[in-house]
Amino acid sequence: MNAVLGMIVFAGAFAAAGSVFAFTLVPAMPRIAALLRGETDPAMAGTPVPGLSERQSRIRARPAPAAAIAVRPQALRAAA
């Protein structure tokens, strides 16, 4: 009786693990098959990565001048 109960428990656990595996793997099967065929990932194909030239990256890395950062008193009076 103990052996039968143990088999039922382990069979139920195996069925639960199999169903979780199936529910997570089956929806991703087309994507997995495309990757195995050597195609690009369809989820990543539509998002182009913007590239910066070396000149643009140097321009962005340049610090702002101190005059641009200074707060103007007229702007503070207008906001109040």
Side-chain angles (χ1 to χ4, degrees), residues 12-44:
F14 181 73
S19 65
V20 168
F21 186 70
F23 280 117
T24 56
L25 187 66
V26 170
M29 283 303 283
R31 195 170 156 199
I32 293 169
L35 289 173
L36 289 175
R37 285 191 302 262
E39 299 172 4
T40 59
D41 190 2
M44 300 302 269

Side-chain angles (χ1 to χ4, degrees), residues 1-2 8-9 18 26-27 32 35 44 46 52 54 56 62 64 66 75:
M1 183 67 185
N2 201 9
I8 291 172
V9 167
V26 170
I32 293 169
L35 289 173
M44 300 302 269
L52 292 176
E54 185 180 332
Q56 288 174 335
R62 190 179 314 155

